[in-house]
Every structure is written in structure tokens, then in C-alpha cells.
Amino acid sequence: MYLIFETYMTSGKIEKLSASLEDYLEAIFNLLSGKTVARSKDIAETLGVTRASVTGALRNLAQKGLIHYKPYGYVTLTEQGNRLASRVARRHAVLHSFFSDILGLEEGISQEAACRAEHLLGPEIINRLTVFMEFVTRPDTEGKDVAAEFEAFCRDGGQDFQGNHTSGTAGKGYNDEHKIKR
């Protein structure tokens, strides 16, 4: 397995951002939507980490030129930080939508899966998933809704990759075990 991290330019060389720092950038980006500044307290709450962890990450992001930050002050994204954060947030949104809207997984499971997968999948896969989601969510020329048909298939007795029935009619179904929305 390999990890795909966002890259950015600093002092004329390309550097990679760790998954953890991507999460901090994404949290700042999301907190800033509709606001002009983010606070370290809010970042800690969003990520479920200590304020000390946030301080260390913010110092690191500031050194990399991705945020504007002074201890006990507000946090804003630099232009480069905003570009990077928006790409990370887009990856997360595409994956969350795929897991939730296409596969029908519950919100919490979709959110957790998106958080994990966003650091593993590169732009080619994210772009292809986006196109695939557009394809399956639009009615075809005969009026079929592929996403709705998949949901019905899971609900009405299809089988998963292990040969288990997906409906609750044959013992414990895939929907119950894997929390697919009904």
C-alpha cells in the first residue's frame, strides 16, 4: 500500500504534506468557510485532538508557508494553503458522497471511510470516481436510475462479495452488518 499526499512548492522545491497535516489543513479550510479566521480551539474540537497537538501542527504549517499563524492568534490560509486545502476537501467530499450516496452507507461510516481513503487515493482515482458518480446518478435513456437500482438490489436480496445475502430475509443480512441505509 502507498499513500498519496498533496505536494506543494517551497523555496523552489517540491515537498509532500503528511496525512495528519492534510487533516489540519482540511479542518482549517472547513472552519473558514463562511468565516474569515479559524481558532486553534475550534481546530482541536473539529479533529478531536489536544490544543498542544494543534499548536505543533500550526507551527509546522506556518513554517511551510501554508497558513498565517501567531501563537494565541487566529489562523488563516495562505493562497498556496487554500489551494492545497481545497484539493484535500474535494477529495474528501467526493469519497464521502460515493460511500454515502452511491453505496448507501450510513453517515458515520461514510465519513470515517472518506477520512481514511482520502490519503490513499490519487487524483486519477478521485476524478474517475467523480465521473462514475455522475454516470450512475443520472437516469439513462430508458429512465433507469443505476444508483437506485443498486440500492434496491442490496435491499431485496442481492449477494455481497462473500456470497452473503444483502437483505434481512436470509438471516443477518449485509445491510444490517454493514449498516447500509435502507
Side-chain angles (χ1 to χ4, degrees), residues 160-161 164-167 172-180:
D160 67 11
F161 65 94
N164 300 316
H165 288 277
T166 60
S167 73
K172 185 172 182 174
Y174 187 83
N175 290 340
D176 298 327
E177 186 177 334
H178 297 282
K179 297 185 174 118
I180 292 178

Side-chain angles (χ1 to χ4, degrees), residues 52-180:
S53 295
V54 172
T55 299
L58 293 179
R59 284 185 183 142
N60 200 338
L61 290 169
Q63 287 174 345
K64 294 177 183 306
L66 301 173
I67 64 168
H68 300 288
Y69 165 73
K70 290 187 177 154
Y72 307 105
Y74 296 114
V75 179
T76 59
L77 293 166
T78 64
E79 187 177 320
Q80 184 175 22
N82 192 59
R83 276 195 310 271
L84 216 56
S86 68
R87 288 199 307 254
V88 173
R90 179 181 179 274
R91 275 196 330 249
H92 181 97
V94 166
L95 289 164
H96 177 265
S97 179
F98 177 74
F99 295 134
S100 178
D101 301 339
I102 304 300
L103 298 183
L105 296 169
E106 288 182 350
E107 175 64 25
I109 292 170
S110 297
Q111 199 63 260
E112 184 180 333
C115 286
R116 290 181 181 184
E118 72 187 46
H119 305 295
L120 298 173
L121 303 177
E124 298 86 11
I125 294 172
I126 298 298
N127 289 335
R128 186 56 63 104
L129 266 176
T130 302
V131 171
F132 176 74
M133 289 175 14
E134 289 172 7
F135 173 76
V136 299
T137 56
R138 69 168 169 62
D140 69 8
T141 56
E142 298 173 10
K144 293 180 184 173
D145 182 340
V146 177
E149 286 186 21
F150 176 72
E151 182 180 339
F153 175 80
C154 290
R155 185 181 55 243
D156 297 337
Q159 292 185 347
D160 67 11
F161 65 94
Q162 296 173 332
N164 300 316
H165 288 277
T166 60
S167 73
T169 60
K172 185 172 182 174
Y174 187 83
N175 290 340
D176 298 327
E177 186 177 334
H178 297 282
K179 297 185 174 118
I180 292 178

